Every structure is written in structure tokens, then in C-alpha cells.
């Protein structure tokens, strides 16, 4: 989608610090990190929110989680721990309408989140 900022990162029209890239998935550092490690893992297919996820895209979301696990290991946060999560729509604080899995680590987090 032309006006989607994450599609523009996928299409290399906007720069980002890309840490993972394959045919289906790309991951890059969050521009406003909320933890020492804060990476966004996104599908190359434009899906606005989790509500729009089709049953046939289940495997794609599974791949996002697999990539988050690999990146957690690469960032050496896998043993201490990390958090992954999707925000869906306004009450969850979603600001970019292209689904993205947040990978956060490098510090302890409270629960429940605010
Ligand atoms: P959310 O609030 O779940 O929609 O998360 C959107 C995230 O995208 C926020 O953490 C932003 O800091 C991040 N973000 C927005 N624009 C960019 C960008 N150009 N490069 C990297 N991260 C971005």
C-alpha cells in the first residue's frame, strides 16, 4: 500500500535498520525503542490489523513468531527473557496499520502492561 509507512520500508522507499529479511518477512529496529532491544517483525503482505488476518495467513504469523525467537537469540536476550506482542486497534495503542510483532528485551517488564 502506497501510504503505509511499513510498506515503504519493505519497498526501500524509507530507510530502516533492517535486521532480518526474506521473501515473506522483514524485521527492523523500532525508531522509538521502548527497551534496549526493540525490533518490529512484519509480513511483506499488507495486513492492516490482526482482525484482517485470514485463516490461510496463519502460517505467516507463525513465521513472524519463529523469526522473533531467532532474533531474541541473536540479540542474546533469549535466556533472560523477552516479550512479543501485537497491538490491535486504538485501545491497544496501534499506530501503524500494517501488522507488526514487537520484540522487546534487555530489561525486565511489568505485568499487566499499562
Ligand atoms: P504500534 O503502536 O503497535 O502500532 O507500533 C508502531 C511502532 O512503529 C512504534 O513502536 C513506532 O515507534 C514504530 N515506528 C513507526 N515508524 C517507524 C519507522 N519509520 N521505523 C521504525 N519504526 C517505526
Amino acid at each position: 500500500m502506497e501510504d503505509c509507512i511499513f510498506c515503504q520500508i519493505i519497498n526501500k522507499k524509507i530507510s530502516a535498520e533492517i535486521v532480518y529479511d526474506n521473501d515473506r518477512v522483514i524485521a527492523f529496529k523500532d525508531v522509538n525503542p521502548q527497551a534496549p532491544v526493540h525490533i518490529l517483525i512484519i509480513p511483506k503482505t499488507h495486513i492492516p490489523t490482526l482482525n484482517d488476518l485470514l485463516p490461510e495467513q496463519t502460517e505467516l504469523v507463525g513465521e513472524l513468531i519463529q523469526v522473533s525467537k531467532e532474533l531474541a537469540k541473536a540479540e542474546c536476550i533469549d535466556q533472560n527473557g523477552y516479550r512479543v506482542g501485537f497491538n490491535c486497534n486504538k485501545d491497544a495503542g496501534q499506530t501503524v496499520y500494517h501488522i507488526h510483532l514487537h520484540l522487546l528485551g534487555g530489561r525486565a517488564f511489568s505485568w499487566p502492561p499499562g
Side-chain angles (χ1 to χ4, degrees):
M1 262 192 84
E2 244 169 56
D3 57 350
C4 169
I5 195 160
F6 287 176
C7 284
Q8 290 176 40
I9 288 174
I10 292 164
N11 295 326
K12 308 282 190 301
K13 288 184 179 152
I14 290 181
S15 66
E17 202 172 334
I18 293 166
V19 294
Y20 185 91
D21 194 356
N22 72 18
D23 289 346
R24 299 164 301 282
V25 173
I26 191 166
F28 51 89
K29 296 199 174 172
D30 195 294
V31 77
N32 182 23
Q34 301 302 308
V37 176
H38 189 173
I39 293 170
L40 302 174
I41 303 132
I42 72 171
K44 290 191 172 174
T45 303
H46 182 82
I47 304 167
T49 79
L50 272 191
N51 292 336
D52 303 301
L53 192 70
L54 302 171
E56 55 266 35
Q57 291 169 324
T58 302
E59 199 173 327
L60 180 59
V61 170
E63 187 173 5
L64 301 184
I65 294 170
Q66 286 291 344
V67 170
S68 77
K69 179 195 76 178
E70 287 171 26
L71 289 173
K73 189 161 189 201
E75 295 283 344
C76 303
I77 56 171
D78 56 320
Q79 295 305 308
N80 276 352
Y82 56 92
R83 185 168 289 173
V84 290
F86 292 99
N87 293 326
C88 182
N89 280 338
K90 63 175 170 47
D91 275 3
Q94 184 173 6
T95 58
V96 178
Y97 284 79
H98 179 130
I99 64 166
H100 45 282
L101 186 61
H102 291 263
L103 166 64
L104 296 137
R107 68 172 173 86
F109 301 103
S110 57
W111 189 262

